[in-house]
Amino acid sequence: MKLLVTFSRRKGYEPIIAKAVKETGVLIRVDRAHIDSSGGEVLIDVPEESCRLVSEKMGSLGATVKILEHPVVRDEDECVDCGACISICPREVFTFDGEWRLAMEVEKCVLCGKCIDACPHDALSQQVPG
Amino acid sequence: MAMEKSIELINKRIREGNARVVTAEEMPGVVAELGEEGAFAEVDVVTTGTFGAMCSTGAFLNFGHSDPPIRMSQVFLNDVEAYGGVAAVDAYIGATQQSTTRGMEYGGAHVLEDFVAGKRVELRALSPGTDCYPRRELTTELILDDLNQAIMVNPRNAYQRYNAATNSTDRTLLTYMGMLLPSFGNITYSGAGVLSPISNDPSFHVIGSGVPIFLAGAPGMIIGEGTQHSPGKGFGTLMVTADMKEMSQEYLRAATMTGYGVTMYIGVGVPLPVIDLGVVRSTAVRDEDIRVNVIDYGIPSRDRPALREVSYADLKSGSIEIRGEVVKTSSLSSYRRARGVALELKRWVESGKMTLSLPTRRIDATKLVRPMRETARVPRVQDIMDRNIYSVSDGDELKEAAKRLLKGDTNHLVVLDKEGKLVGIITTYDLSKAIARPGRAKKVRDIMTTRVITTNPDEHVDIVARKLEHYNVSALPVVDPDEKVLGMLTAIDLGKLFGGRWLK
């Protein structure tokens, strides 16, 4: 399961992820991280059963945690099943099924956004974490 | 058994509802199973289909006369300009024309799709005014039903096959073949392969002028050869037409190739009457038999190099090997919808909705496209480069570099190794920085840029201008194939040529 962890600069100096791993014992995989002078945004992958535990721990350390259930969303009315997204994606989220219909494994998505730019039909978008 | 079947017999069977129709995807299996003669006896019609980006698409529109009447000289539909140089209230809207207000996110293709979807489109027209057409300005909102005619006429659709694209450079390219990732990061291709209309009749035996077709959901017709028709090398095209009022949005989709522009995805299908064994043989074509080159779009020239030849079967497998690496492929056209076109056409023929015709005029199957004849000589790097070479070697002291910059009255020095090969470049800015912030830098090699962007004497000046802009540099060493420096090309040299057009 993908979690989007955001924190302010002050907390950025704290080893939030390391602390969460150490204190929960859950192995966290960092998919993407962007940290600058104003704060940080880190996309992590955790096993589904530990999602709540990790979220609560990180929350107690001062981070804001949002669960991304659909990191990339497809508008089925706009998609024509061309497959322009398939070779663009670094994580093989997109494939064709036996009927040349576009299939998605969104749990692999790391929110790089390349497919959204590459789609000729403007059919893909990123879920805005609410 | 007679190995010919008349078109009248085939049409009689269609009208009686007992014509035997298969798609071009099913036909190779039928021929493999029954043999050519068996397939000839079994099948009356083979339907083809393709659904992909076809930029060369557009429509003639007639708006009817306003009161007082206007002779439109400039025509805009939702701020997309249409060609108004055809009579008073006619216009041609092309798919790739971009909106004057929204850029490449909305264009002629979107106007066409909006019309077909039943949406309102704003017409704005201007005119100088004449005695017979006094009105000078007009704005109104129209839906497709308000137009007298909306006749799609596409100069070039249904390419027989299309070369696949990849990118050798170190940056992402945004092209009409979609997004091409750096260092052969992906391959894109277009076309339906086994279902492609012309690939199923490459000799234009039954495809020709007057032949009925499926165009974007409407019954249409082949006008004749398409523009850039080059069947002699396997790249035939068709010019096609149909009434937009009968079209369906399912087979007509506006699109934007990011960083390139607007295009139209359109479904085209041609039903092929099985009149003889020649049609059986040509429709037995498989993906494996249809071959294209993989072209390097990193080379900014008309004659881009081919990296290897592949078949549509290879491309559809999801990956192919380029220089020892497995590279993922992406289709830009939709095979699923191409199949949808061929199946819909199959239903039309089976139900008697469409009968077939043989060509009223043959299409030349040997023609070759020619490159443009250019009468004005295009300026190249060798025409404007500075042939004085100001250089230092990488082991020189910074002071020596400063002296040479002053002596040469230049801002750039090329750095050469002992063999005279280019190893770096330094600028007055690099040197100023090293002096203003003294650190450990003592030698030229400590401050030089080693990843040097270069040009060559034959490069076109427009390509050089894009390089300077893209890499944000002000000069490019001009090198020969052995990395020997021949001169320097600066933004100032280009500026002299273009009167400042390229200087920001």
Side-chain angles (χ1 to χ4, degrees):
Chain A
M1 187 128 263
K2 303 288 180 200
L3 300 180
L4 188 66
V5 183
T6 49
F7 46 80
S8 68
R9 186 185 174 184
R10 189 173 53 83
K11 292 289 174 191
Y13 291 111
E14 303 269 324
I16 289 175
I17 295 171
K19 274 188 180 168
V21 172
K22 194 176 167 207
E23 291 173 26
T24 62
V26 177
L27 294 179
I28 293 170
R29 194 184 71 209
V30 177
D31 282 338
R32 280 177 71 207
H34 179 79
I35 298 162
D36 62 20
S37 57
S38 63
E41 194 173 64
V42 181
L43 181 70
I44 60 170
D45 191 274
V46 293
E48 195 162 351
E49 64 276 11
S50 316
C51 199
R52 207 169 149 181
L53 181 66
V54 172
S55 300
E56 283 171 1
K57 177 49 71 186
M58 289 192 160
S60 75
L61 291 167
T64 311
V65 183
K66 280 160 188 160
I67 299 173
L68 296 176
E69 287 185 56
H70 304 285
V72 57
V73 183
R74 174 167 65 136
D75 181 338
E76 305 221 351
D77 290 335
E78 291 298 332
C79 178
V80 299
D81 301 284
C82 67
C85 48
I86 292 176
S87 72
I88 294 297
C89 176
R91 301 301 288 267
E92 302 187 351
V93 167
F94 306 97
T95 49
F96 280 129
D97 70 8
E99 292 296 307
W100 295 95
R101 211 184 336 238
L102 193 72
M104 289 167 70
E105 292 173 83
V106 291
E107 60 281 5
K108 291 182 177 173
C109 174
V110 292
L111 284 96
C112 75
K114 281 205 175 76
C115 60
I116 294 167
D117 287 342
C119 177
H121 297 270
D122 206 11
L124 297 171
S125 56
Q126 218 155 53
Q127 183 197 32
V128 183
Chain B
M1 187 165 60
M3 285 301 146
E4 279 185 19
K5 213 184 280 173
S6 71
I7 193 81
E8 291 76 20
L9 176 65
I10 293 170
N11 280 335
K12 183 167 173 279
R13 288 180 180 168
I14 293 172
R15 278 191 296 269
E16 290 169 356
N18 50 31
R20 285 151 304 173
V21 188
V22 299
T23 69
E25 194 180 10
E26 296 162 336
M27 189 61 173
V30 175
V31 177
E33 194 188 327
L34 305 177
E36 287 178 357
E37 295 186 5
F40 174 77
E42 180 62 28
V43 179
D44 296 316
V45 179
V46 178
T47 62
T48 60
T50 182
F51 181 90
M54 303 190 199
C55 287
S56 190
T57 287
F60 285 102
L61 310 175
N62 176 280
F63 304 108
H65 283 291
S66 60
D67 189 25
I70 183 170
R71 193 202 72 177
M72 301 176 178
S73 54
Q74 272 187 294
V75 181
F76 296 89
L77 292 156
N78 285 350
D79 291 338
V80 179
E81 187 159 20
Y83 179 67
V86 274
V89 288
D90 286 336
Y92 182 82
I93 175 109
T96 61
Q97 184 73 38
Q98 291 177 11
S99 156
T100 55
T101 49
R102 293 167 66 188
M104 65 173 73
E105 92 181 44
Y106 191 93
H110 298 85
V111 172
L112 293 169
E113 184 181 345
D114 281 348
F115 267 133
V116 168
K119 291 185 185 163
R120 273 171 204 276
V121 172
E122 185 199 71
L123 164 69
R124 191 158 50 83
L126 301 170
S127 165
T130 69
D131 287 342
C132 46
Y133 290 113
R135 191 145 171 193
R136 300 176 63 169
E137 218 181 307
L138 177 148
T139 304
T140 182
E141 285 196 344
L142 301 168
I143 60 168
L144 188 57
D145 279 344
D146 295 327
L147 307 186
N148 288 314
Q149 280 81 25
I151 303 170
M152 184 168 278
V153 177
N154 302 339
R156 175 168 74 257
N157 277 182
Y159 248 113
Q160 186 167 356
R161 58 190 179 126
Y162 211 85
N163 282 326
T166 190
N167 168 19
S168 63
T169 70
D170 57 3
R171 65 185 185 97
T172 296
L173 298 179
L174 302 174
T175 73
Y176 68 87
M177 288 298 284
M179 193 184 276
L180 299 173
L181 302 176
S183 314
F184 306 112
N186 68 335
I187 290 165
T188 61
Y189 68 97
S190 188
V194 63
L195 277 171
S196 157
I198 302 176
S199 284
N200 279 277
D201 184 23
S203 63
F204 293 87
H205 181 42
V206 289
I207 291 179
S209 297
V211 163
I213 59 166
F214 172 108
L215 181 61
M221 191 180 75
I222 294 171
I223 297 170
E225 69 177 40
T227 55
Q228 242 161 270
H229 178 62
S230 194
K233 287 222 164 118
F235 293 98
T237 69
L238 298 175
M239 189 178 289
V240 295
T241 184
D243 185 351
M244 274 178 66
K245 294 189 184 193
E246 295 179 275
M247 289 183 182
S248 146
Q249 205 184 353
E250 168 134 19
Y251 298 106
L252 180 97
R253 287 300 179 91
T256 300
M257 290 296 174
T258 304
Y260 173 75
V262 176
T263 186
M264 180 67 102
Y265 274 59
I266 199 159
V268 183
V270 182
L272 306 174
V274 184
I275 54 168
D276 55 24
L277 284 179
V279 179
V280 173
R281 281 180 205 126
S282 64
T283 53
V285 72
R286 302 163 305 158
D287 278 332
E288 289 80 348
D289 309 320
I290 306 169
R291 303 188 72 80
V292 291
N293 285 320
V294 180
I295 302 291
D296 180 5
Y297 277 62
I299 310 295
S301 153
R302 183 184 59 216
D303 304 310
R304 299 185 172 104
L307 295 162
R308 62 168 290 195
E309 200 190 78
V310 293
S311 71
Y312 272 89
D314 299 328
L315 291 166
K316 286 181 183 173
S317 76
S319 63
I320 61 172
E321 211 174 277
I322 296 279
R323 296 188 176 169
E325 300 268 338
V326 175
V327 182
K328 280 195 282 178
T329 59
S330 262
S331 169
L332 297 172
S333 48
S334 169
Y335 191 70
R336 183 173 164 75
R337 292 217 178 185
R339 201 185 247 174
V341 169
L343 288 170
E344 181 70 17
L345 194 48
K346 182 177 172 176
R347 282 190 287 274
W348 285 7
V349 178
E350 279 174 341
S351 67
K353 178 177 171 178
M354 179 174 271
T355 54
L356 309 191
S357 305
L358 290 177
T360 52
R361 195 163 54 113
R362 293 291 299 272
I363 289 177
D364 185 344
T366 60
K367 211 168 187 174
L368 289 173
V369 71
R370 286 191 309 254
M372 182 186 285
R373 187 168 80 94
E374 293 182 71
T375 51
R377 198 177 164 277
V378 269
R380 295 185 185 269
V381 166
Q382 58 195 336
D383 302 328
I384 57 168
M385 70 187 202
D386 183 352
R387 288 168 199 275
N388 297 311
I389 301 166
Y390 305 102
S391 68
V392 278
S393 65
D394 56 350
D396 282 342
E397 300 284 331
L398 295 185
K399 194 173 175 187
E400 181 58 30
K403 279 186 191 164
R404 298 212 186 165
L405 281 168
L406 285 173
K407 192 175 163 216
D409 192 19
T410 175
N411 285 316
H412 310 85
L413 291 176
V414 290
V415 185
L416 305 176
D417 68 6
K418 289 194 188 79
E419 280 83 47
K421 278 194 180 171
L422 179 69
V423 292
I425 188 166
I426 64 167
T427 65
T428 43
Y429 177 76
D430 298 329
L431 203 59
S432 310
K433 207 166 61 177
I435 290 164
R437 299 178 204 148
R440 272 169 291 178
K442 294 228 160 26
K443 301 255 165 97
V444 166
R445 73 166 69 91
D446 302 327
I447 63 161
M448 70 185 188
T449 301
T450 52
R451 200 171 158 278
V452 189
I453 314 298
T454 61
T455 179
N456 65 67
D458 288 328
E459 203 152 48
H460 192 294
V461 291
D462 281 339
I463 311 281
V464 172
R466 279 187 80 85
K467 267 191 189 173
L468 289 173
E469 196 176 332
H470 177 78
Y471 292 102
N472 194 25
V473 291
S474 51
L476 302 170
V478 184
V479 297
D480 70 7
D482 298 323
E483 296 281 283
K484 190 172 166 286
V485 179
L486 305 173
M488 187 71 103
L489 185 119
T490 67
I492 294 166
D493 300 328
L494 268 181
K496 283 178 199 151
L497 182 66
F498 290 110
R501 187 174 131 207
W502 299 103
L503 287 174
K504 288 200 168 167

mmCIF file of all heavy atoms in Angstrom, chain B residues 66-100:
data_model
loop_
_atom_site.group_PDB
_atom_site.id
_atom_site.type_symbol
_atom_site.label_atom_id
_atom_site.label_comp_id
_atom_site.label_asym_id
_atom_site.label_seq_id
_atom_site.Cartn_x
_atom_site.Cartn_y
_atom_site.Cartn_z
ATOM 1 N N SER B 66 -26.079 34.104 -43.694
ATOM 2 C CA SER B 66 -26.628 34.939 -42.612
ATOM 3 C C SER B 66 -27.407 36.090 -43.249
ATOM 4 O O SER B 66 -27.370 36.283 -44.459
ATOM 5 C CB SER B 66 -25.473 35.488 -41.770
ATOM 6 O OG SER B 66 -24.619 36.269 -42.598
ATOM 7 N N ASP B 67 -28.091 36.887 -42.423
ATOM 8 C CA ASP B 67 -28.790 38.065 -42.932
ATOM 9 C C ASP B 67 -28.435 39.265 -42.085
ATOM 10 O O ASP B 67 -28.698 39.258 -40.887
ATOM 11 C CB ASP B 67 -30.299 37.821 -42.899
ATOM 12 C CG ASP B 67 -31.049 38.925 -43.618
ATOM 13 O OD1 ASP B 67 -30.432 39.556 -44.511
ATOM 14 O OD2 ASP B 67 -32.220 39.166 -43.277
ATOM 15 N N PRO B 68 -27.837 40.327 -42.646
ATOM 16 C CA PRO B 68 -27.334 40.422 -44.022
ATOM 17 C C PRO B 68 -26.184 39.450 -44.267
ATOM 18 O O PRO B 68 -25.509 39.060 -43.312
ATOM 19 C CB PRO B 68 -26.863 41.878 -44.117
ATOM 20 C CG PRO B 68 -26.639 42.315 -42.710
ATOM 21 C CD PRO B 68 -27.584 41.530 -41.862
ATOM 22 N N PRO B 69 -25.956 39.072 -45.510
ATOM 23 C CA PRO B 69 -24.970 38.035 -45.809
ATOM 24 C C PRO B 69 -23.523 38.499 -45.652
ATOM 25 O O PRO B 69 -23.233 39.690 -45.727
ATOM 26 C CB PRO B 69 -25.279 37.654 -47.251
ATOM 27 C CG PRO B 69 -25.977 38.831 -47.836
ATOM 28 C CD PRO B 69 -26.668 39.528 -46.716
ATOM 29 N N ILE B 70 -22.657 37.536 -45.444
ATOM 30 C CA ILE B 70 -21.227 37.810 -45.249
ATOM 31 C C ILE B 70 -20.417 36.908 -46.168
ATOM 32 O O ILE B 70 -20.805 35.762 -46.414
ATOM 33 C CB ILE B 70 -20.847 37.583 -43.759
ATOM 34 C CG1 ILE B 70 -19.374 37.939 -43.484
ATOM 35 C CG2 ILE B 70 -21.099 36.134 -43.335
ATOM 36 C CD1 ILE B 70 -19.013 37.973 -41.991
ATOM 37 N N ARG B 71 -19.320 37.461 -46.699
ATOM 38 C CA ARG B 71 -18.360 36.588 -47.389
ATOM 39 C C ARG B 71 -17.188 36.399 -46.418
ATOM 40 O O ARG B 71 -16.339 37.271 -46.279
ATOM 41 C CB ARG B 71 -17.861 37.227 -48.684
ATOM 42 C CG ARG B 71 -17.130 36.232 -49.570
ATOM 43 C CD ARG B 71 -16.197 36.898 -50.565
ATOM 44 N NE ARG B 71 -15.022 37.445 -49.896
ATOM 45 C CZ ARG B 71 -14.016 38.023 -50.526
ATOM 46 N NH1 ARG B 71 -14.051 38.177 -51.831
ATOM 47 N NH2 ARG B 71 -12.966 38.493 -49.863
ATOM 48 N N MET B 72 -17.191 35.269 -45.714
ATOM 49 C CA MET B 72 -16.215 35.054 -44.645
ATOM 50 C C MET B 72 -14.802 34.963 -45.222
ATOM 51 O O MET B 72 -14.555 34.159 -46.103
ATOM 52 C CB MET B 72 -16.509 33.737 -43.931
ATOM 53 C CG MET B 72 -17.885 33.649 -43.320
ATOM 54 S SD MET B 72 -18.110 31.999 -42.627
ATOM 55 C CE MET B 72 -19.740 32.178 -41.933
ATOM 56 N N SER B 73 -13.906 35.812 -44.693
ATOM 57 C CA SER B 73 -12.516 35.661 -45.150
ATOM 58 C C SER B 73 -11.657 35.074 -44.036
ATOM 59 O O SER B 73 -10.661 34.437 -44.291
ATOM 60 C CB SER B 73 -11.958 36.991 -45.638
ATOM 61 O OG SER B 73 -12.110 37.961 -44.639
ATOM 62 N N GLN B 74 -12.089 35.315 -42.800
ATOM 63 C CA GLN B 74 -11.407 34.654 -41.679
ATOM 64 C C GLN B 74 -12.468 33.949 -40.853
ATOM 65 O O GLN B 74 -13.475 34.564 -40.481
ATOM 66 C CB GLN B 74 -10.671 35.668 -40.824
ATOM 67 C CG GLN B 74 -9.256 35.941 -41.307
ATOM 68 C CD GLN B 74 -8.536 36.815 -40.307
ATOM 69 O OE1 GLN B 74 -8.907 37.971 -40.113
ATOM 70 N NE2 GLN B 74 -7.533 36.264 -39.654
ATOM 71 N N VAL B 75 -12.233 32.671 -40.589
ATOM 72 C CA VAL B 75 -13.248 31.855 -39.919
ATOM 73 C C VAL B 75 -12.617 31.186 -38.696
ATOM 74 O O VAL B 75 -11.545 30.587 -38.799
ATOM 75 C CB VAL B 75 -13.768 30.755 -40.880
ATOM 76 C CG1 VAL B 75 -14.838 29.901 -40.208
ATOM 77 C CG2 VAL B 75 -14.292 31.373 -42.174
ATOM 78 N N PHE B 76 -13.274 31.332 -37.551
ATOM 79 C CA PHE B 76 -12.792 30.670 -36.329
ATOM 80 C C PHE B 76 -13.914 29.827 -35.734
ATOM 81 O O PHE B 76 -15.052 30.294 -35.629
ATOM 82 C CB PHE B 76 -12.343 31.702 -35.290
ATOM 83 C CG PHE B 76 -11.170 32.524 -35.739
ATOM 84 C CD1 PHE B 76 -11.361 33.708 -36.441
ATOM 85 C CD2 PHE B 76 -9.871 32.100 -35.485
ATOM 86 C CE1 PHE B 76 -10.285 34.463 -36.873
ATOM 87 C CE2 PHE B 76 -8.787 32.850 -35.906
ATOM 88 C CZ PHE B 76 -8.987 34.031 -36.604
ATOM 89 N N LEU B 77 -13.576 28.593 -35.335
ATOM 90 C CA LEU B 77 -14.537 27.718 -34.656
ATOM 91 C C LEU B 77 -13.959 27.415 -33.283
ATOM 92 O O LEU B 77 -12.878 26.812 -33.191
ATOM 93 C CB LEU B 77 -14.737 26.437 -35.463
ATOM 94 C CG LEU B 77 -15.447 26.662 -36.814
ATOM 95 C CD1 LEU B 77 -15.118 25.550 -37.788
ATOM 96 C CD2 LEU B 77 -16.951 26.790 -36.609
ATOM 97 N N ASN B 78 -14.634 27.870 -32.244
ATOM 98 C CA ASN B 78 -14.081 27.786 -30.880
ATOM 99 C C ASN B 78 -12.628 28.280 -30.849
ATOM 100 O O ASN B 78 -11.751 27.649 -30.257
ATOM 101 C CB ASN B 78 -14.160 26.356 -30.342
ATOM 102 C CG ASN B 78 -15.567 25.963 -29.941
ATOM 103 O OD1 ASN B 78 -16.460 26.809 -29.893
ATOM 104 N ND2 ASN B 78 -15.768 24.684 -29.643
ATOM 105 N N ASP B 79 -12.381 29.388 -31.538
ATOM 106 C CA ASP B 79 -11.054 30.027 -31.606
ATOM 107 C C ASP B 79 -10.007 29.224 -32.388
ATOM 108 O O ASP B 79 -8.813 29.506 -32.299
ATOM 109 C CB ASP B 79 -10.499 30.348 -30.207
ATOM 110 C CG ASP B 79 -11.277 31.455 -29.523
ATOM 111 O OD1 ASP B 79 -11.941 32.235 -30.242
ATOM 112 O OD2 ASP B 79 -11.220 31.538 -28.280
ATOM 113 N N VAL B 80 -10.429 28.213 -33.136
ATOM 114 C CA VAL B 80 -9.506 27.477 -34.008
ATOM 115 C C VAL B 80 -9.758 27.964 -35.426
ATOM 116 O O VAL B 80 -10.896 27.921 -35.913
ATOM 117 C CB VAL B 80 -9.750 25.952 -33.934
ATOM 118 C CG1 VAL B 80 -8.794 25.218 -34.877
ATOM 119 C CG2 VAL B 80 -9.612 25.461 -32.500
ATOM 120 N N GLU B 81 -8.720 28.446 -36.092
ATOM 121 C CA GLU B 81 -8.926 29.006 -37.421
ATOM 122 C C GLU B 81 -9.182 27.911 -38.456
ATOM 123 O O GLU B 81 -8.493 26.883 -38.490
ATOM 124 C CB GLU B 81 -7.730 29.861 -37.853
ATOM 125 C CG GLU B 81 -8.028 30.578 -39.166
ATOM 126 C CD GLU B 81 -7.158 31.796 -39.438
ATOM 127 O OE1 GLU B 81 -6.083 31.907 -38.837
ATOM 128 O OE2 GLU B 81 -7.578 32.624 -40.282
ATOM 129 N N ALA B 82 -10.207 28.146 -39.275
ATOM 130 C CA ALA B 82 -10.490 27.257 -40.403
ATOM 131 C C ALA B 82 -10.127 28.016 -41.675
ATOM 132 O O ALA B 82 -10.138 29.249 -41.685
ATOM 133 C CB ALA B 82 -11.962 26.859 -40.407
ATOM 134 N N TYR B 83 -9.822 27.288 -42.744
ATOM 135 C CA TYR B 83 -9.467 27.945 -44.000
ATOM 136 C C TYR B 83 -10.721 28.505 -44.645
ATOM 137 O O TYR B 83 -11.666 27.769 -44.953
ATOM 138 C CB TYR B 83 -8.787 26.938 -44.935
ATOM 139 C CG TYR B 83 -8.407 27.523 -46.269
ATOM 140 C CD1 TYR B 83 -7.420 28.505 -46.356
ATOM 141 C CD2 TYR B 83 -9.042 27.114 -47.431
ATOM 142 C CE1 TYR B 83 -7.083 29.059 -47.578
ATOM 143 C CE2 TYR B 83 -8.697 27.652 -48.660
ATOM 144 C CZ TYR B 83 -7.720 28.631 -48.726
ATOM 145 O OH TYR B 83 -7.381 29.175 -49.928
ATOM 146 N N GLY B 84 -10.735 29.824 -44.830
ATOM 147 C CA GLY B 84 -11.926 30.480 -45.333
ATOM 148 C C GLY B 84 -11.843 30.872 -46.795
ATOM 149 O O GLY B 84 -12.717 31.563 -47.311
ATOM 150 N N GLY B 85 -10.789 30.423 -47.457
ATOM 151 C CA GLY B 85 -10.601 30.804 -48.860
ATOM 152 C C GLY B 85 -11.389 29.956 -49.835
ATOM 153 O O GLY B 85 -10.933 29.706 -50.952
ATOM 154 N N VAL B 86 -12.536 29.435 -49.411
ATOM 155 C CA VAL B 86 -13.397 28.668 -50.312
ATOM 156 C C VAL B 86 -14.823 29.217 -50.241
ATOM 157 O O VAL B 86 -15.584 28.873 -49.355
ATOM 158 C CB VAL B 86 -13.394 27.140 -49.980
ATOM 159 C CG1 VAL B 86 -12.247 26.443 -50.660
ATOM 160 C CG2 VAL B 86 -13.371 26.879 -48.487
ATOM 161 N N ALA B 87 -15.164 30.083 -51.170
ATOM 162 C CA ALA B 87 -16.503 30.676 -51.288
ATOM 163 C C ALA B 87 -16.929 31.410 -50.021
ATOM 164 O O ALA B 87 -16.156 31.539 -49.075
ATOM 165 C CB ALA B 87 -17.523 29.628 -51.695
ATOM 166 N N ALA B 88 -18.161 31.898 -50.008
ATOM 167 C CA ALA B 88 -18.581 32.858 -48.978
ATOM 168 C C ALA B 88 -18.798 32.239 -47.611
ATOM 169 O O ALA B 88 -18.353 32.769 -46.602
ATOM 170 C CB ALA B 88 -19.858 33.554 -49.446
ATOM 171 N N VAL B 89 -19.493 31.121 -47.554
ATOM 172 C CA VAL B 89 -19.817 30.541 -46.247
ATOM 173 C C VAL B 89 -19.375 29.089 -46.154
ATOM 174 O O VAL B 89 -19.999 28.266 -45.478
ATOM 175 C CB VAL B 89 -21.327 30.689 -45.904
ATOM 176 C CG1 VAL B 89 -21.639 32.130 -45.570
ATOM 177 C CG2 VAL B 89 -22.208 30.170 -47.028
ATOM 178 N N ASP B 90 -18.298 28.749 -46.865
ATOM 179 C CA ASP B 90 -17.668 27.443 -46.742
ATOM 180 C C ASP B 90 -16.352 27.611 -46.000
ATOM 181 O O ASP B 90 -15.743 28.677 -46.039
ATOM 182 C CB ASP B 90 -17.337 26.852 -48.128
ATOM 183 C CG ASP B 90 -18.574 26.362 -48.866
ATOM 184 O OD1 ASP B 90 -19.565 26.054 -48.185
ATOM 185 O OD2 ASP B 90 -18.535 26.296 -50.097
ATOM 186 N N ALA B 91 -15.905 26.550 -45.350
ATOM 187 C CA ALA B 91 -14.584 26.578 -44.718
ATOM 188 C C ALA B 91 -14.077 25.150 -44.620
ATOM 189 O O ALA B 91 -14.868 24.199 -44.649
ATOM 190 C CB ALA B 91 -14.664 27.200 -43.334
ATOM 191 N N TYR B 92 -12.754 25.005 -44.521
ATOM 192 C CA TYR B 92 -12.160 23.680 -44.265
ATOM 193 C C TYR B 92 -11.451 23.756 -42.931
ATOM 194 O O TYR B 92 -10.573 24.594 -42.728
ATOM 195 C CB TYR B 92 -11.165 23.304 -45.368
ATOM 196 C CG TYR B 92 -10.567 21.913 -45.170
ATOM 197 C CD1 TYR B 92 -11.266 20.776 -45.586
ATOM 198 C CD2 TYR B 92 -9.330 21.728 -44.551
ATOM 199 C CE1 TYR B 92 -10.743 19.499 -45.400
ATOM 200 C CE2 TYR B 92 -8.801 20.451 -44.355
ATOM 201 C CZ TYR B 92 -9.510 19.347 -44.789
ATOM 202 O OH TYR B 92 -8.998 18.078 -44.604
ATOM 203 N N ILE B 93 -11.865 22.905 -42.008
ATOM 204 C CA ILE B 93 -11.201 22.866 -40.706
ATOM 205 C C ILE B 93 -10.274 21.658 -40.653
ATOM 206 O O ILE B 93 -10.694 20.532 -40.888
ATOM 207 C CB ILE B 93 -12.229 22.880 -39.542
ATOM 208 C CG1 ILE B 93 -11.529 22.720 -38.185
ATOM 209 C CG2 ILE B 93 -13.283 21.784 -39.683
ATOM 210 C CD1 ILE B 93 -11.533 23.934 -37.363
ATOM 211 N N GLY B 94 -8.999 21.924 -40.400
ATOM 212 C CA GLY B 94 -8.000 20.863 -40.339
ATOM 213 C C GLY B 94 -7.773 20.431 -38.903
ATOM 214 O O GLY B 94 -7.803 21.254 -37.978
ATOM 215 N N ALA B 95 -7.529 19.124 -38.707
ATOM 216 C CA ALA B 95 -7.420 18.565 -37.357
ATOM 217 C C ALA B 95 -6.279 19.160 -36.534
ATOM 218 O O ALA B 95 -6.402 19.315 -35.331
ATOM 219 C CB ALA B 95 -7.255 17.047 -37.444
ATOM 220 N N THR B 96 -5.167 19.509 -37.166
ATOM 221 C CA THR B 96 -3.981 19.895 -36.383
ATOM 222 C C THR B 96 -3.909 21.393 -36.075
ATOM 223 O O THR B 96 -3.030 21.824 -35.342
ATOM 224 C CB THR B 96 -2.676 19.500 -37.105
ATOM 225 O OG1 THR B 96 -2.628 20.185 -38.356
ATOM 226 C CG2 THR B 96 -2.599 18.000 -37.330
ATOM 227 N N GLN B 97 -4.837 22.180 -36.639
ATOM 228 C CA GLN B 97 -4.818 23.621 -36.368
ATOM 229 C C GLN B 97 -5.084 23.862 -34.880
ATOM 230 O O GLN B 97 -6.017 23.307 -34.323
ATOM 231 C CB GLN B 97 -5.887 24.310 -37.214
ATOM 232 C CG GLN B 97 -5.912 25.814 -37.089
ATOM 233 C CD GLN B 97 -4.739 26.477 -37.785
ATOM 234 O OE1 GLN B 97 -4.323 26.041 -38.848
ATOM 235 N NE2 GLN B 97 -4.199 27.505 -37.167
ATOM 236 N N GLN B 98 -4.248 24.693 -34.255
ATOM 237 C CA GLN B 98 -4.403 24.908 -32.813
ATOM 238 C C GLN B 98 -5.186 26.168 -32.492
ATOM 239 O O GLN B 98 -5.141 27.148 -33.234
ATOM 240 C CB GLN B 98 -3.019 24.976 -32.157
ATOM 241 C CG GLN B 98 -2.335 23.618 -32.191
ATOM 242 C CD GLN B 98 -0.933 23.651 -31.610
ATOM 243 O OE1 GLN B 98 -0.532 24.625 -31.004
ATOM 244 N NE2 GLN B 98 -0.203 22.572 -31.805
ATOM 245 N N SER B 99 -5.852 26.126 -31.352
ATOM 246 C CA SER B 99 -6.637 27.247 -30.863
ATOM 247 C C SER B 99 -5.754 28.475 -30.667
ATOM 248 O O SER B 99 -4.613 28.359 -30.223
ATOM 249 C CB SER B 99 -7.273 26.835 -29.532
ATOM 250 O OG SER B 99 -7.568 27.966 -28.757
ATOM 251 N N THR B 100 -6.306 29.657 -30.974
ATOM 252 C CA THR B 100 -5.530 30.886 -30.767
ATOM 253 C C THR B 100 -5.497 31.253 -29.291
ATOM 254 O O THR B 100 -4.707 32.085 -28.873
ATOM 255 C CB THR B 100 -6.146 32.065 -31.549
ATOM 256 O OG1 THR B 100 -7.515 32.187 -31.156
ATOM 257 C CG2 THR B 100 -6.077 31.840 -33.048
#
